Amino acid sequence: MAVKNTAQVIIGGKIITLGGYESEEYFQKVASYMNNKISELSEMPGYSRQPMETKHTLLSLNITDDYFKAKKQAEIFEQDLQQKDQEMYDLKHELISLRMQLEELQKSAKETQDQKSLLEGKVTELEKELDELLK
């Protein structure tokens, strides 16, 4: 069973205690991400004059936008992965089929070589018989 962790982080200049099953490093990473978003928004003209509720809404909207973009990218990667898996599956089956054809061709070539050797042996025997008859 996972152990619940807590960590103090600084978000927007305030110390906040976060708790959950993630590591302290993860909590710090989340806090850093939020602080970067706050910094990005603070650079926008007029942001600092907005009421705190509007600032929180803009921060939420920006983080939600990042989430949906990341989710869309993950879906694209998942589709690509499924497509690559299907291509690999198809290629494996094609490889098996080609190996089977190769084995059949090798078997056929060996049978043909055996027949050739047998016929060459018969030709040699017949040539000897002919030579004896012509003597």
Side-chain angles (χ1 to χ4, degrees):
M1 185 170 166
V3 177
K4 191 170 185 178
N5 299 314
T6 60
Q8 288 191 334
V9 298
I10 298 175
I11 298 175
K14 295 181 183 174
I15 297 174
I16 299 172
T17 301
L18 299 179
Y21 296 102
E22 292 80 9
S23 66
E24 181 175 347
E25 292 81 20
Y26 178 79
F27 294 140
Q28 294 297 338
K29 188 175 179 179
V30 168
S32 175
Y33 175 79
M34 290 192 70
N35 285 325
N36 287 337
K37 278 294 172 186
I38 291 169
S39 293
E40 283 177 26
L41 290 172
S42 296
E43 293 174 6
M44 293 175 56
Y47 177 80
S48 60
R49 293 188 306 268
Q50 298 298 318
M52 191 55 68
E53 184 178 329
T54 302
K55 290 179 182 180
H56 287 154
T57 300
L58 289 171
L59 178 63
S60 297
L61 285 170
N62 273 265
I63 291 171
T64 302
D65 179 53
D66 289 349
Y67 166 77
F68 280 113
K69 287 176 181 173
K71 185 177 177 185
K72 178 70 175 171
Q73 190 64 46
E75 289 170 359
I76 290 169
F77 287 151
E78 182 63 30
Q79 289 172 352
D80 287 349
L81 179 62
Q82 288 176 357
Q83 181 181 358
K84 299 284 185 219
D85 283 346
Q86 183 62 46
E87 289 173 7
M88 188 166 57
Y89 176 83
D90 293 343
L91 287 171
K92 283 181 180 179
H93 280 277
E94 183 178 348
L95 177 63
I96 290 168
S97 175
L98 289 171
R99 282 183 179 168
M100 290 172 61
Q101 288 176 16
L102 177 61
E103 287 174 11
E104 286 295 320
L105 289 171
Q106 287 172 335
K107 183 180 175 183
S108 176
K110 183 171 181 349
E111 289 172 357
T112 302
Q113 184 63 37
D114 291 347
Q115 284 180 339
K116 178 185 173 200
S117 296
L118 183 67
L119 291 173
E120 285 174 344
K122 285 185 180 182
V123 166
T124 303
E125 284 178 27
L126 290 171
E127 285 175 343
K128 284 180 186 177
E129 285 180 27
L130 183 63
D131 284 344
E132 287 178 15
L133 289 173
L134 292 177
K135 286 184 184 183

